[in-house]
Amino acid sequence: MVDVLAHESELLGLVKEYLDFAEFEDTLKTFLKECKIKGKPLSKSTCGSLRDPKSLKFQRDLLAAFDSGDQKVFFRLWEEHIPRPIRDGDSLAQKLEFYLHIHFAIYLLKHSAGRPDKEDLDERISYFKTYLETKGAALSQTTEFLPFYALPFVPNPMVHPSFKELFQDSWTPELKLKLEKFLALMFKASNTPKLLTLYKENGQSNKDMLQQLHQQLVEAERRSMTYLKRYNRIQADYHNLIGVTAELVDSLEATVSGKMITPEYLQSVCVRLFSNQMRQSLARSVDFTRPGTASTMLRASLAPVKLKDVPLLPSLDYEKLKKDLVLGSDRLKAFLLQALRWRLTTSHPGEQRETVLQAYISNDLLDCHSPSQRSVLQLLQSKSEVVRQYTARLINAFASLAEGRRYLAQSTKVLRMLEERLKEEDKDVVARENVLGALQKFSLRRPLQTAMIQDGLIFWLIDILKEPDCLSDYTLEYSVALLMNLCLRSAGKNMCAKVAGLVLKVLSDLLGHENHEIQPYVNGALYSILSIPSIREEARAMGMEDILRCFIKEGNAEMIRQIEFIIKQLNSEELLDGVLESDDDEDEDDEIMTNTGKARRKGTAGVQWGGPEPLRRPVTPSGHRTGYPA
């Protein structure tokens, strides 16, 4: 109670300040009256008026300049009193400033009794043209403002149909009302009461702490899984060792009775003691009949491996980095994007690479969680082809790592931007290759698979695969691998059923393509979609079995085996067990099916016969398996 009394005056002042700010006039009167009756003093430090006389004078002067058409005075006041972050970063302020420039450009045309002064009019038009070429260029891609970029070049805007709205009597008063509302909102926000500030700061602090704890939890779970795998491996080795020891004890007992131990038996015991990778080579190359050979090999296998000491990279100023990526020149942006990608891809696998990636993620390098319209991700839409390319390369590098995919997949914003970029690039350039590579890696995550299928990405893939000879090896391989991953889902198969004839024609043509790297993925897609009865009927009608049998004559053993399964699927009258996965399966994981096809990626049915697998690391144009862009 004593603590409350000690701070009561300040607390009451905070309440009074907030009621005044929120314009609870009747409540404020009652509150002040009751404080006076009870003899409760209010803190003088917080009882001042929120209405700043200087801001009121500025607003009056600004509106007077608007009404009189004094362009120079208006924009001088505008730049002096409206903070740069609001002018450059707030979309509402940017749009309002654009219309204000139009207002002053056409002011003489609307308010002159006779013909406006030509020199003054030319000066205003020139000022507007300069604005369009500099600061106003940022809105040139917005449909709403696009027609106004022709305004400086139209001889008589008053009679032009595109500018009819500007010369209506209601346009100027409506613009002035928008200006007044903007000023009121801005200066009200700048006089935020202390009570609201305390609430926001406390809430943001809790949010940051929760985010940090969540990241620590994810990291702890990852380490826990690593240690669990190590424990299971050690436990398996221990059980194996106990079994071998028991056999050796039996053998020693047998020698007491005069029974000899054969070299073959000794070889079988030693092979069991080594790791799987060494067993076959040992069985073929080591002569166990030579005395001391087995014991020497065992001691050598236990020799400690010296780990290379890899230093951690120095930390970066991520705030400045992101600012330069958004506001810097195209040349600077390209260099920074390249350096950030190299920092990740050239780091040593293990702790150094994980540290680099975690720093990128914790500082939200790509602004995946930023609501601002000007973010690093927006560089995908840059006018510079080099900037678009290096942005796509960096995102592809992120997507090549499991933690990077988790970061990018936290919302569908990144996915939508990549899909948009993919469809806008009208030719097979490096930027499109890397966007496609990132999307293929995204397809390992179930929610993103669903989103891509719903967005009709399968139709886009089928469309570009109609002319595979026009595509680079990278684009071809990643496109087919992505198509197969999407076709593993029930929704993807049903999407293919809508254009069954086209899909079957494209896939059958790809079977004979000279790039043999794509064959397992073409086979996988075919096998998967043929589980749909309507697609089977279409395939039979076009003679798919005869087409497939032609490739049996030419293919290798694995290819022949896969095609035989496809033919079996084609001729089946019902679904094979396990072909159609349930859409209620456990959520996705980044585990990949092994080359033998025995292990399946969690949450995806895969191809039952074990042929093609959903790739996390598709073959790159150079022919090497790698998670990074070429």
Side-chain angles (χ1 to χ4, degrees), residues 170-233:
S170 60
W171 188 80
T172 302
E174 287 175 0
L175 179 61
K176 184 177 180 180
L177 184 61
K178 289 179 182 178
L179 176 61
E180 290 172 343
K181 286 182 178 179
F182 172 78
L183 294 173
L185 184 65
M186 195 196 74
F187 285 102
K188 185 176 182 179
S190 66
N191 293 310
T192 303
K194 191 174 180 180
L195 186 63
L196 184 58
T197 303
L198 291 171
Y199 172 78
K200 283 183 176 180
E201 288 176 352
N202 187 50
Q204 183 62 38
S205 175
N206 290 339
K207 184 179 178 182
D208 293 342
M209 186 177 293
L210 281 173
Q211 189 175 3
Q212 186 178 2
L213 289 172
H214 175 71
Q215 289 175 354
Q216 292 175 357
L217 177 62
V218 170
E219 181 63 21
E221 289 176 348
R222 187 188 64 77
R223 287 199 299 267
S224 174
M225 288 300 297
T226 303
Y227 295 144
L228 182 61
K229 288 176 183 177
R230 290 179 185 173
Y231 166 75
N232 290 335
R233 190 162 57 246

Side-chain angles (χ1 to χ4, degrees), residues 12 15-20 22-35 42:
L12 293 173
V15 173
K16 188 263 177 189
E17 182 188 35
Y18 181 76
L19 292 174
D20 186 20
E23 298 179 354
F24 288 103
E25 296 176 1
D26 294 338
T27 306
L28 179 59
K29 289 177 183 177
T30 304
F31 175 73
L32 293 173
K33 182 179 179 182
E34 193 165 351
C35 285
L42 298 177

Side-chain angles (χ1 to χ4, degrees), residues 565-621:
F565 273 102
I566 297 173
I567 293 174
K568 185 177 178 182
Q569 177 83 304
L570 175 64
N571 293 324
S572 66
E573 296 300 330
E574 57 184 3
L575 297 179
L576 295 178
D577 292 340
V579 171
L580 274 174
E581 95 288 356
S582 168
D583 281 345
D584 298 324
D585 279 348
E586 195 173 353
D587 197 11
E588 85 293 331
D589 192 28
D590 276 321
E591 292 302 320
I592 179 175
M593 295 201 305
T594 62
N595 289 336
T596 61
K598 294 177 182 177
R600 295 182 187 170
R601 186 168 56 82
K602 189 176 176 185
T604 302
V607 180
Q608 185 175 348
W609 43 267
E613 72 271 19
L615 292 185
R616 177 166 66 192
R617 298 178 180 178
V619 181
T620 63

Side-chain angles (χ1 to χ4, degrees), residues 379-395:
L379 296 179
L380 275 173
Q381 309 298 335
S382 172
K383 292 181 179 179
S384 168
E385 185 177 333
V386 175
V387 173
R388 293 200 306 271
Q389 177 194 137
Y390 279 81
T391 306
R393 283 177 179 268
L394 179 59
I395 292 173

Side-chain angles (χ1 to χ4, degrees), residues 287-316:
D287 182 8
F288 287 96
T289 60
R290 292 172 56 191
T293 300
S295 60
T296 302
M297 293 296 296
L298 284 171
R299 290 188 183 97
S301 70
L302 295 174
V305 179
K306 286 188 177 181
L307 296 176
K308 186 178 180 181
D309 187 20
V310 179
L312 296 180
L313 298 174
S315 59
L316 303 174

Side-chain angles (χ1 to χ4, degrees), residues 325-611:
L325 283 171
V326 172
L327 302 175
S329 65
D330 287 343
R331 179 182 172 83
L332 176 61
K333 291 174 184 176
F335 280 137
L336 288 175
L337 290 166
Q338 184 183 52
L340 288 166
R341 176 170 58 88
W342 281 353
R343 183 180 174 89
L344 180 62
T345 57
T346 61
S347 59
H348 291 275
E351 185 180 4
Q352 190 184 67
R353 180 166 294 167
E354 289 173 7
T355 303
V356 171
L357 183 60
Q358 285 301 324
Y360 285 1
I361 293 172
S362 60
N363 288 282
D364 193 16
L365 177 63
L366 297 179
D367 287 334
C368 291
H369 308 300
S370 172
S372 174
Q373 288 189 342
R374 302 190 70 179
S375 63
V376 177
L377 272 178
Q378 295 295 329
L379 296 179
L380 275 173
Q381 309 298 335
S382 172
K383 292 181 179 179
S384 168
E385 185 177 333
V386 175
V387 173
R388 293 200 306 271
Q389 177 194 137
Y390 279 81
T391 306
R393 283 177 179 268
L394 179 59
I395 292 173
N396 197 5
F398 264 88
S400 300
L401 301 169
E403 286 297 324
R405 283 193 291 279
R406 290 191 186 96
Y407 165 63
L408 295 172
Q410 289 178 11
S411 74
T412 56
K413 179 171 77 169
V414 182
L415 174 66
R416 302 287 187 243
M417 291 188 70
L418 288 173
E419 288 179 334
E420 184 180 345
R421 184 74 264 151
L422 186 70
K423 295 171 183 176
E424 285 181 359
E425 291 289 356
D426 57 352
K427 53 186 177 180
D428 196 13
V429 294
V430 177
R432 191 174 81 170
E433 287 182 351
N434 281 270
V435 168
L436 185 60
L439 288 172
Q440 197 281 328
K441 292 155 192 169
F442 277 14
S443 70
L444 295 171
R445 303 189 66 81
R446 192 178 188 82
L448 297 182
Q449 273 185 350
T450 302
M452 283 189 264
I453 292 168
Q454 291 174 349
D455 293 343
L457 195 58
I458 286 177
F459 298 137
W460 185 88
L461 291 168
I462 292 297
D463 187 56
I464 68 160
L465 288 172
K466 286 191 293 187
E467 298 181 6
D469 293 335
C470 299
L471 305 176
S472 67
D473 287 342
Y474 188 102
T475 299
L476 179 61
E477 290 161 17
Y478 273 76
S479 297
V480 179
L482 175 56
L483 177 63
M484 189 195 78
N485 282 0
L486 299 182
C487 287
L488 294 176
R489 296 288 301 280
S490 301
K493 298 171 191 176
N494 292 329
M495 197 69 75
C496 288
K498 296 179 180 180
V499 287
L502 179 59
V503 174
L504 290 169
K505 183 182 184 306
V506 168
L507 291 176
S508 61
D509 289 344
L510 289 172
L511 282 171
H513 197 274
E514 61 183 9
N515 187 338
H516 299 296
E517 298 288 352
I518 68 172
Q519 288 180 352
Y521 319 123
V522 176
N523 292 346
L526 266 175
Y527 181 81
S528 184
I529 65 173
L530 286 173
S531 63
I532 303 293
S534 62
I535 298 181
R536 284 203 300 268
E537 290 177 10
E538 184 73 28
R540 290 168 188 161
M542 65 183 288
M544 178 63 75
E545 183 172 353
D546 294 336
I547 296 172
L548 292 169
R549 292 201 181 279
C550 291
F551 292 105
I552 286 182
K553 299 173 184 177
E554 304 171 1
N556 55 36
E558 180 63 20
M559 179 75 167
I560 291 170
R561 186 176 73 90
Q562 293 177 6
I563 290 179
E564 285 174 347
F565 273 102
I566 297 173
I567 293 174
K568 185 177 178 182
Q569 177 83 304
L570 175 64
N571 293 324
S572 66
E573 296 300 330
E574 57 184 3
L575 297 179
L576 295 178
D577 292 340
V579 171
L580 274 174
E581 95 288 356
S582 168
D583 281 345
D584 298 324
D585 279 348
E586 195 173 353
D587 197 11
E588 85 293 331
D589 192 28
D590 276 321
E591 292 302 320
I592 179 175
M593 295 201 305
T594 62
N595 289 336
T596 61
K598 294 177 182 177
R600 295 182 187 170
R601 186 168 56 82
K602 189 176 176 185
T604 302
V607 180
Q608 185 175 348
W609 43 267

